[in-house]
Amino acid sequence: MEKTSYTKPMFRRLTLLAVIILLLQAALFTLFTLPEQNKDANQLARLTAETTILASALSAPLRSDNLNTAEQLLLQARNADSNRALYLYRQTNQQLELVANTVNLANFVPQPELLNQERRLGNFLVVSRLVNSNSNTLLIHVQYIQPTSQLPILLAFLLSAIAAILLSLSFAYTISVYFNRKLMPLISNTKTALDKSQFDGSVESHAHDGFGVLGSYINQLFRRIEQGQLALKTSETDIAQLKQEVDTRIKERTDALETAKLTAERANEAKSTFLATMSHEIRTPMNGIIGTIDLLRKTQLSTSQFRMTDTIRESSFSLLRILDDILDFSKIEAGKLELENIPVSLVDIIEAVGRILVSVAYQRQIDLKLYIDPKIPNGLFGDPVRLRQILYNLAGNAIKFTETTPLKTGVVVIRADLLEENMEFSQIQFSVIDNGRGMTQRQINYVFHPFNQAEGSITRKFGGTGLGLSICQRLTSLMYGDIDVQSEVGKGTEFKVRIPMRRSDEIDYVSSELLRDIHICLFTQDSDNQDHLSHYFRHARAELDVVNSFEALQQRARQQKPLPPKQAAVWVLDATYEQISAEQIKQLQQVPELERVQFIVITNQVELSEHSNDRLYYLHSSPICRSHLYDAILVAAKRKEKPKPQQTSHLNLSKGAPDIETAKRNRQLILLAEDNMMNQRVIVEQLNALGYAVEVADDGAIALDMWRRYHYPLVLTDLHMPNMSGYDLAIAIRKESLNRQDDTNFSRIVAVTANALKGEEQKCISIGMDGYITKPLELVTLETMLKRWLPLVEASTKGTAGNNAEPAQQPSPICFTTIANFLGNDPAKHEEYLNYFVKHAKELLTDLTTQAKAQNRSGARAIAHQFKSVAKSVGAVSLAAEALKLEQAAENSDWSVINEYVRVMQEKYQDVVSYVRQRY
């Protein structure tokens, strides 16, 4: 930094101050210490003179060796002064020996030397003199001096300190005044500029010292701040312009993105429309193929011809499965696939998958096995359709890529294991294991990629879209799970799917006491069956013995002992793949020790099921289902009644449909609205084969005109037709029906469409349709729908009886004798209670449907019991009877039976509603 002009004056003043303080201290010290120094010197000179005189006086006595005289002289010289001491030494044998002395002084020890000297030792003045007459004699004269007082020194220090403080204060004040005079103009002007934020002024800078330099620097700083403010304002203006430009660009980009988004949405919508159209166009001819094949299979065919129809039918459904895979993949890609979240039974799902795939496995001679961990509860939340789809795809692939050879039997196992559970979730692992061809690591890396299979040769040999595993992976991700695969070439593959499933409030476990006190002897040579069945039996607390050979089985038979009355013995024999013959089973039955033993034979021959008796029960193992196994054990142990054989649904193919007039009189005529000629022909033939007469309209407008002339009890309509779509047709029929006073001839409307996209069924129901079935139509599906909405009734007279024949009279849904027994004969009260019943029963049916969907037996049974009582009290006797059947079925029947009873109750409830509205 440049040397300022006041540096030298300040330096001179500081140097002068320091010199003054030092001189003052030196003067004060000299002033107070000099008298003391002169006093000590005078005393030492006087003591030296006295010592010299005494030494001369001692010469004579010492020559005569008169020590007493010498000692008297020493005492006289001391003159009783307590601060003095004299010592007389003589040298003998090279040592100084004390020959005479006075009283010693405290804290002083003489150190004699044969020298003449005078000195001060601390507070003592010491003078040594050689006696003249004898050079070997030494006189030492010592005088004690009182210590010098420190007060003068302290006083000098205090005075110098006070002087220094005063000088410093004076100098500080002078400097303060000096700097204040110089700084105040700078401070005042700077503060004013800061307070007003105006830096266009300046401070005083004309002084020729450092303050002037500081003022010039401050002025320069003001100029720079002023320039900075101007630049800031310019920058703010530029920033505002830039912001406006950025906002404009952002708006342009946003508009561009919005346009791109709309374009993408339109493209996605176009893709969805294309897929829907493709689905419709493919399903439309497939309806003709499958419908015609179903009709053809009911005619007289040779064995080879019937097998060819099997091939055609299976190929058609394979094509439909490929189409469904493409549609599912498209919905997943678009993020529009929604999952259900309802309580499910994994046992029902896995066993249903097994029953579906067992025919394919049987054709390929594959042994399909199921295992469901008995610790897994029913009532976990999930999507049953998508879980079934995942297992179906994985197990279908396993069966496809597994072969049975003379050296090895192909085996596919579907497992469900409980990995862990807590108060809220259960972690379930689904496994599909096969001993097929396996995959290399490279194939594993690409196996989950869409439109990709292990190798091109596989695609050519086995077919498929390559979407199955990709869909499984994405469905698993949507369920917050994961999927992986382990495989080894030539040994097989294992797919594992782990899914966390939330627990519902109605968790139902397999009772650990289910088979208590039942003694089971299991015979099997199949390691998988032994492992699965043993787990099932041990979980239910059965007493289990496992035997692996017929000889061991005979030995076990001879050891059988009678059991107490409350216990039972059941032998489970695995007869699959001829592990045990019918003759050997017959031998076991003849053993006397096994007289009270029940036998369950697991077989893969369906025809043997008809040969079951009270002691021998054949259990079909295609595949072995846990629920069926437990039921068979309980029935054999007399813990459960043997279920009555259910009426199977056989197609009632009539020899011919009634004529149009007869069908009109019986309210059995169907209107078909369909624009495709081939579909018209196929569906008409199917309806005629099922015993129904039908009239055809080529589009929706024609169908509406025909309905206006005759209100058909059932209208089957395609959704996409020229002139008027199926949607518009349904809306028009429902709108015109509202204006009619007589609603006894109510028309049911069912959509028959090839559009299989999600949401179509909900859309159809929302506009007033009663049902929705997709093409291609199978006879079984069509018959089920017709039984629901238009069941066949026999006419009271034949069609040849003339035009006066009346339709058969249906019994009244309300028995007024019964209602009179409960409520009396007041019609007004009957009307009040029947209207109340219509409203209350609807709520009960809604709750009943919910409980049945959740598979809650106790809830369904309780609601059915309540419904029975309410229905009976208003005379709905037939409806009360159906509720009683449902209440009984809820105890132990399959859910398919229960759901059928629920459906029948809903139909009869609608009959009651129609009757009440018509009467009142």
Side-chain angles (χ1 to χ4, degrees):
M1 179 180 175
E2 181 184 355
K3 194 172 183 181
T4 57
S5 60
Y6 60 82
T7 302
K8 289 183 177 179
M10 291 298 103
F11 179 75
R12 289 197 296 269
R13 287 178 174 80
L14 289 175
T15 303
L16 179 61
L17 179 62
V19 170
I20 291 173
I21 292 175
L22 291 175
L23 290 176
L24 180 61
Q25 287 183 338
L28 291 174
F29 183 78
T30 302
L31 178 63
F32 288 102
T33 57
L34 185 58
E36 292 292 334
Q37 294 176 357
N38 294 335
K39 182 179 177 182
D40 292 343
N42 293 335
Q43 287 182 349
L44 183 59
R46 187 170 57 251
L47 184 62
T48 301
E50 292 177 354
T51 303
T52 302
I53 296 172
L54 181 58
S56 300
L58 288 175
S59 298
L62 289 177
R63 281 195 297 271
S64 60
D65 199 19
N66 186 357
L67 295 177
N68 290 331
T69 304
E71 187 172 356
Q72 288 297 326
L73 290 173
L74 293 178
L75 291 174
Q76 290 176 0
R78 179 173 181 271
N79 195 22
D81 188 355
S82 59
N83 292 328
R84 288 191 179 189
L86 290 96
Y87 304 90
L88 187 63
Y89 290 90
R90 179 180 290 171
Q91 184 175 12
T92 58
N93 298 327
Q94 300 301 322
Q95 292 184 354
L96 292 175
E97 180 182 356
L98 182 64
V99 294
N101 68 297
T102 61
V103 178
N104 294 330
L105 293 177
N107 298 325
F108 181 78
V109 177
Q111 295 179 354
E113 294 181 4
L114 291 176
L115 294 173
N116 291 324
Q117 58 183 357
E118 50 277 343
R119 56 183 176 171
R120 180 175 178 172
L121 298 175
N123 291 329
F124 298 95
L125 298 177
V126 181
V127 178
S128 301
R129 284 292 183 269
L130 294 175
V131 180
N132 295 332
S133 59
N134 192 356
S135 60
N136 61 351
T137 303
L138 178 65
L139 173 65
I140 297 177
H141 192 178
V142 180
Q143 183 178 355
Y144 174 73
I145 301 174
Q146 293 295 332
T148 305
S149 174
Q150 299 295 326
L151 183 60
I153 299 175
L154 292 176
L155 184 60
F157 177 76
L158 289 175
L159 291 175
S160 62
I162 292 172
I165 291 172
L166 292 176
L167 290 173
S168 298
L169 289 174
S170 176
F171 185 71
Y173 177 76
T174 303
I175 291 177
S176 176
V177 171
Y178 176 79
F179 278 99
N180 282 337
R181 187 175 67 252
K182 295 289 187 179
L183 288 175
M184 283 307 296
L186 299 178
I187 293 174
S188 177
N189 294 335
T190 304
K191 183 176 183 302
T192 302
L194 291 174
D195 291 342
K196 296 181 179 181
S197 296
Q198 295 179 356
F199 303 96
D200 52 350
S202 61
V203 300
E204 183 180 353
S205 60
H206 57 273
H208 301 288
D209 54 12
F211 295 100
V213 175
L214 178 60
S216 65
Y217 287 163
I218 292 175
N219 290 332
Q220 293 178 20
L221 181 62
F222 282 0
R223 300 291 81 77
R224 293 187 180 183
I225 293 175
E226 184 179 7
Q227 294 173 1
Q229 287 180 335
L230 294 175
L232 179 61
K233 291 181 180 179
T234 304
S235 299
E236 288 177 350
T237 304
D238 295 340
I239 289 173
Q241 294 177 354
L242 181 61
K243 181 177 181 298
Q244 185 176 2
E245 293 178 2
V246 170
D247 291 340
T248 303
R249 292 187 180 182
I250 289 176
K251 187 177 183 304
E252 292 174 355
R253 293 290 179 88
T254 303
D255 294 341
L257 288 175
E258 188 67 25
T259 303
K261 179 184 176 183
L262 292 175
T263 304
E265 289 177 350
R266 291 193 187 99
N268 187 55
E269 184 178 355
K271 182 183 70 173
S272 300
T273 304
F274 168 74
L275 290 174
T277 304
M278 181 182 68
S279 171
H280 186 277
E281 294 302 324
I282 294 178
R283 287 176 181 272
T284 297
M286 290 306 299
N287 180 57
I289 296 173
I290 294 178
T292 305
I293 287 298
D294 282 343
L295 292 173
L296 181 62
R297 287 161 62 89
K298 301 305 175 183
T299 63
Q300 293 294 329
L301 298 174
S302 65
T303 302
S304 60
Q305 290 172 334
F306 193 82
R307 288 178 180 174
M308 285 188 285
T309 62
D310 278 340
T311 303
I312 298 173
R313 196 171 189 275
E314 182 61 31
S315 299
S316 300
F317 280 105
S318 297
L319 179 59
L320 290 178
R321 282 194 293 270
I322 293 173
L323 181 62
D324 290 338
D325 281 346
I326 295 174
L327 292 175
D328 282 342
F329 184 78
S330 175
K331 286 184 284 186
I332 293 174
E333 285 289 317
K336 294 183 178 181
L337 184 67
E338 298 178 359
L339 299 180
E340 282 190 302
N341 195 28
I342 61 174
V344 299
S345 170
L346 295 183
V347 176
D348 293 344
I349 291 174
I350 296 175
E351 290 182 355
V353 171
R355 287 192 292 269
I356 292 173
L357 292 175
V358 69
S359 60
V360 182
Y362 179 77
Q363 293 175 2
R364 295 184 55 83
Q365 298 180 345
I366 304 298
D367 190 6
L368 179 63
K369 299 179 184 296
L370 306 179
Y371 173 74
I372 302 102
D373 190 346
K375 296 191 293 296
I376 297 177
N378 286 331
L380 299 176
F381 280 108
D383 187 331
V385 175
R386 298 307 174 182
L387 286 173
R388 188 180 295 111
Q389 183 178 2
I390 291 173
L391 295 176
Y392 182 86
N393 282 341
L394 294 179
N397 280 347
I399 293 173
K400 183 191 300 184
F401 297 111
T402 303
E403 297 177 346
T404 293
T405 64
L407 301 178
K408 181 181 70 173
T409 299
V411 178
V412 174
V413 182
I414 306 175
R415 292 180 60 99
D417 296 279
L418 178 65
L419 297 184
E420 59 179 333
E421 63 178 347
N422 51 40
M423 296 298 292
E424 188 173 358
F425 286 92
S426 295
Q427 182 81 2
I428 308 298
Q429 175 175 285
F430 301 94
S431 305
V432 177
I433 309 165
D434 66 70
N435 61 348
R437 60 194 304 156
M439 293 183 291
T440 64
Q441 186 60 45
R442 179 182 176 278
Q443 292 169 335
I444 293 174
N445 294 336
Y446 291 96
V447 74
F448 291 112
H449 289 192
F451 304 105
N452 184 60
Q453 291 187 336
E455 284 188 16
S457 60
I458 293 179
T459 302
R460 290 190 294 272
K461 181 177 181 180
F462 295 100
T465 61
L467 289 174
L469 292 179
S470 177
I471 292 174
C472 289
Q473 185 186 47
R474 300 189 185 205
L475 288 176
T476 303
S477 299
L478 289 175
M479 297 178 185
Y480 304 101
D482 62 89
I483 181 173
D484 60 23
V485 57
Q486 297 176 355
S487 183
E488 187 174 350
V489 177
K491 293 187 177 181
T493 304
E494 178 178 4
F495 284 89
K496 293 181 180 179
V497 179
R498 288 172 291 273
I499 298 176
M501 303 183 71
R502 189 163 58 87
R503 298 158 64 86
S504 68
D505 296 333
E506 298 179 358
I507 288 295
D508 181 25
Y509 287 91
V510 176
S511 174
S512 58
E513 306 292 326
L514 185 65
L515 302 182
R516 179 177 287 276
D517 296 331
I518 297 180
H519 296 259
I520 298 177
C521 178
L522 172 63
F523 165 78
T524 181
Q525 296 174 344
D526 188 310
S527 59
D528 290 326
N529 286 352
Q530 177 178 330
D531 179 62
H532 299 169
L533 299 183
S534 298
H535 277 93
Y536 292 157
F537 295 149
R538 290 195 174 97
H539 176 79
R541 300 291 179 87
E543 300 290 337
L544 179 64
D545 290 331
V546 180
V547 179
N548 301 114
S549 66
F550 183 71
E551 291 75 15
L553 200 61
Q554 289 178 316
Q555 182 178 358
R556 174 68 177 79
R558 290 190 292 268
Q559 297 174 354
Q560 181 70 30
K561 297 180 180 180
L563 297 175
K566 293 186 178 180
Q567 299 186 12
V570 179
W571 283 32
V572 180
L573 308 177
D574 187 359
T576 58
Y577 301 102
E578 300 180 357
Q579 297 181 58
I580 186 171
S581 65
E583 183 64 29
Q584 291 172 329
I585 295 174
K586 187 175 181 179
Q587 293 179 20
L588 292 175
Q589 287 181 291
Q590 295 173 353
V591 175
E593 288 83 359
L594 303 183
E595 182 179 1
R596 298 179 61 85
V597 173
Q598 298 290 320
F599 291 91
I600 295 177
V601 179
I602 301 175
T603 177
N604 51 3
Q605 301 179 29
V606 182
E607 61 274 9
L608 292 179
S609 301
E610 300 177 358
H611 299 286
S612 300
N613 53 50
D614 292 338
R615 193 180 174 197
L616 182 64
Y617 181 83
Y618 284 97
L619 179 63
H620 187 218
S621 65
S622 293
I624 299 177
C625 296
R626 191 187 76 188
S627 58
H628 296 171
L629 180 65
Y630 279 152
D631 288 342
I633 297 293
L634 293 175
V635 170
K638 310 301 182 185
R639 304 284 178 87
K640 183 178 180 180
E641 293 185 1
K642 188 175 182 180
K644 297 179 181 180
Q646 300 292 331
Q647 295 293 333
T648 57
S649 177
H650 295 288
L651 290 176
N652 183 19
L653 296 180
S654 305
K655 295 182 179 180
D659 58 71
I660 300 298
E661 294 301 325
T662 302
K664 282 186 177 181
R665 288 195 302 270
N666 293 333
R667 294 290 297 166
Q668 296 286 302
L669 184 61
I670 298 174
L671 174 62
L672 172 64
E674 171 65 61
D675 62 315
N676 186 278
M677 298 300 295
M678 182 182 64
N679 281 339
Q680 289 180 4
R681 181 175 179 180
V682 171
I683 297 176
V684 168
E685 290 180 357
Q686 289 178 321
L687 292 173
N688 290 339
L690 293 173
Y692 291 88
V694 58
E695 290 186 334
V696 180
D698 292 332
D699 58 43
I702 298 174
L704 182 60
D705 290 337
M706 295 175 65
W707 179 85
R708 287 169 178 164
R709 292 193 297 270
Y710 174 75
H711 295 284
Y712 297 86
L714 179 62
V715 178
L716 303 180
T717 176
D718 189 15
L719 294 180
H720 304 282
M721 295 181 293
N723 299 325
M724 178 179 281
S725 68
Y727 302 112
D728 296 333
L729 173 63
I731 293 173
I733 291 176
R734 292 293 180 245
K735 184 176 181 180
E736 294 188 17
S737 297
L738 292 175
N739 299 326
R740 296 176 64 250
Q741 296 181 355
D742 182 14
D743 59 352
T744 55
N745 297 331
F746 185 79
S747 297
R748 302 288 183 179
I749 305 175
V750 176
V752 181
T753 179
N755 192 351
L757 288 179
K758 185 174 181 179
E760 288 296 331
E761 182 174 3
Q762 290 80 0
K763 183 178 179 180
C764 293
I765 299 300
S766 66
I767 64 174
M769 293 189 184
D770 299 285
Y772 175 93
I773 53 178
T774 58
K775 301 173 185 176
L777 294 181
E778 298 181 69
L779 277 174
V780 175
T781 304
L782 188 59
E783 183 192 31
T784 302
M785 183 273 298
L786 292 172
K787 282 185 177 180
R788 180 177 184 182
W789 298 119
L790 191 65
L792 284 173
V793 294
E794 295 294 334
S796 58
T797 58
K798 300 296 182 181
T800 59
N803 295 334
N804 295 328
E806 295 293 332
Q809 296 295 324
Q810 296 294 328
S812 173
I814 300 296
C815 178
F816 283 91
T817 302
T818 303
I819 194 173
N821 292 334
F822 283 95
L823 303 175
N825 294 320
D826 186 359
K829 186 175 292 186
H830 295 175
E831 180 181 357
E832 177 185 356
Y833 276 82
L834 284 172
N835 287 326
Y836 173 78
F837 170 75
V838 168
K839 179 181 179 182
H840 183 54
K842 182 179 181 181
E843 298 174 354
L844 290 177
L845 279 175
T846 302
D847 294 340
L848 181 62
T849 303
T850 302
Q851 298 297 332
K853 189 175 182 181
Q855 297 189 351
N856 181 8
R857 292 183 180 272
S858 60
R861 185 170 59 250
I863 296 175
H865 178 77
Q866 182 181 0
F867 197 102
K868 176 190 68 177
S869 301
V870 175
K872 191 173 182 181
S873 66
V874 296
V877 180
S878 60
L879 188 54
E882 295 299 331
L884 176 61
K885 293 179 182 179
L886 175 59
E887 182 182 2
Q888 295 172 348
E891 295 286 342
N892 49 27
S893 297
D894 292 339
W895 280 106
S896 59
V897 177
I898 297 174
N899 290 329
E900 179 63 21
Y901 282 134
V902 172
R903 185 188 65 77
V904 173
M905 285 181 61
Q906 291 174 338
E907 291 180 355
K908 291 189 175 296
Y909 166 76
Q910 293 297 332
D911 294 337
V912 172
V913 172
S914 300
Y915 181 82
V916 171
R917 290 178 178 174
Q918 178 182 0
R919 185 179 180 87
Y920 298 103

